[in-house]
Amino acid sequence: MSKIAGQFDPPLAFDRAPQVEAATRVRTADLAARRAALALALQDDAERLRGQLWQPAVHGEFAGKEGHWQHVNLDQPRFVDQRQIIASVQTAVGTSLRLAPVEGGENAEQVRSMLGVLGEALTQAANDDQAHDDDGGAAGG
């Protein structure tokens, strides 16, 4: 095959390293742009989720012997649902930060510190809720 390719004028070559390198740079840049866009979208999601913490909510479940759908309008989500919202916010923000890290050492350290404090608060809330459930506390929070 190489002999036949060499007989062409100009000879055909199989070395495409420069084109592959350029294509790899373009693909890397495209992926970086897509990650940045996803990071922004996740931040938007986190903000929308966070807004649900104190908004009216509908809680529903199947109940009774016949399994009828029951629902109730609440002034805000139940505590357990608020905790899940906070966990979702934390996940979205954390993923956003991994996709598009904060630049600068001081600001990045502040964000890590804030996320650490948030994680500790969520753990404490989960422990408090578990203790409340274990001692037969009333529903709600």
Side-chain angles (χ1 to χ4, degrees):
M1 184 66 102
S2 296
K3 285 183 183 180
I4 295 171
Q7 293 173 356
F8 282 91
D9 187 30
L12 297 178
F14 297 103
D15 180 22
R16 295 180 26 170
Q19 292 91 345
V20 170
E21 184 180 327
T24 300
R25 279 194 310 272
V26 168
R27 178 74 175 145
T28 300
D30 287 347
L31 288 173
R34 290 173 63 189
R35 279 192 306 274
L38 181 57
L40 287 173
L42 283 166
Q43 185 65 36
D44 290 342
D45 293 344
E47 291 170 8
R48 281 194 300 276
L49 282 167
R50 170 71 176 74
Q52 292 179 17
L53 279 174
W54 311 110
Q55 297 299 315
V58 176
H59 174 71
E61 60 187 39
F62 289 101
K65 187 169 81 173
E66 301 296 321
H68 293 287
W69 181 252
Q70 307 281 327
H71 70 273
V72 61
N73 295 318
L74 303 171
D75 292 334
Q76 64 189 44
R78 299 173 311 149
F79 178 77
V80 67
D81 297 324
Q82 287 178 318
R83 192 173 58 184
Q84 291 176 344
I85 291 169
I86 288 290
S88 297
V89 168
Q90 183 181 22
T91 299
V93 170
T95 304
S96 175
L97 287 171
R98 281 191 300 280
L99 289 170
V102 176
E103 293 182 17
E106 183 177 311
N107 289 337
E109 187 56 40
Q110 289 173 347
V111 169
R112 278 191 288 277
S113 175
M114 181 269 306
L115 288 175
V117 170
L118 180 59
E120 290 172 10
L122 287 170
T123 300
Q124 183 61 45
N127 291 340
D128 290 349
D129 191 49
Q130 184 63 42
H132 181 71
D133 289 347
D134 288 347
D135 67 12

